[in-house]
Amino acid sequence: MRAKTKPVIIPTKERIYMNHATFYGMDSVKRHIARYKWAASHLFQTDIVLDAGCGSGYGTKLLSNACARAVGVDISTEAIDYAKYKSDEKSNTLEYRREDLSDLPINELFDAVVCIEVIEHLDKESQLKFMKSITHVLAIGGRFIVTTPVKKSEPMTEYHKHEFSRDEFKDFLGRHFCSVHFDDPLKFGVPVDFMLAVCNGVIR
């Protein structure tokens, strides 16, 4: 249900709110949208999709145009309240819920789980818990569609708790999926210092 009053948002670099686009810079906003468009390109119209770490919900809405139904989840009450406020309350293809990614109490299966610039916000222990949750909510034949920055000498922002090198991320994903494929970010308008991975064959 739509919030009765517009949530008060104080923007930070932790997540993007589209009505504060100038705060982040339009180049940054465009790059975030490009990553969601990349994820949407790997969806089917019949898919039920979980957007894990949906933030303010703009990406979940974009995904919902490429699938049968999209569910956005985030630990931030502020972000979920904002996403619900901005959404069409009559829509049956879009839903937002407040959930902890390290412990998803969701009793339904998804054809795809999308995770855009989120996993690096979790510490190592929470990342492992998150992957365990993902393997339980993915349907047979389901896909994990994920992006994350390439680790450098210093974290990209103070909100990142554990970043990955390319080899580390490939190994990490390979522990949970039989097949891990990396797309060329430049083909999707994404800088080369970000990794775009599609994983199949969940290992439970």
Side-chain angles (χ1 to χ4, degrees), residues 169-184:
F169 198 47
K170 184 177 181 179
D171 177 70
F172 176 79
L173 295 174
R175 298 178 213 163
H176 305 280
F177 294 91
C178 296
S179 171
V180 178
H181 170 76
F182 287 88
D183 280 340
D184 180 355

Side-chain angles (χ1 to χ4, degrees), residues 39-51 59-72 91-95 110-112 114 143 145:
S41 74
H42 287 281
L43 301 180
F44 301 104
Q45 285 292 334
T46 54
D47 282 341
I48 307 299
V49 177
L50 179 69
D51 184 13
T60 318
K61 185 174 182 180
L62 190 155
L63 296 175
S64 71
N65 295 324
C67 65
R69 178 167 164 260
V71 178
S91 173
N92 58 6
T93 63
L94 186 62
E95 179 185 354
F110 296 88
D111 301 295
V114 173
R143 288 143 284 138
I145 302 168

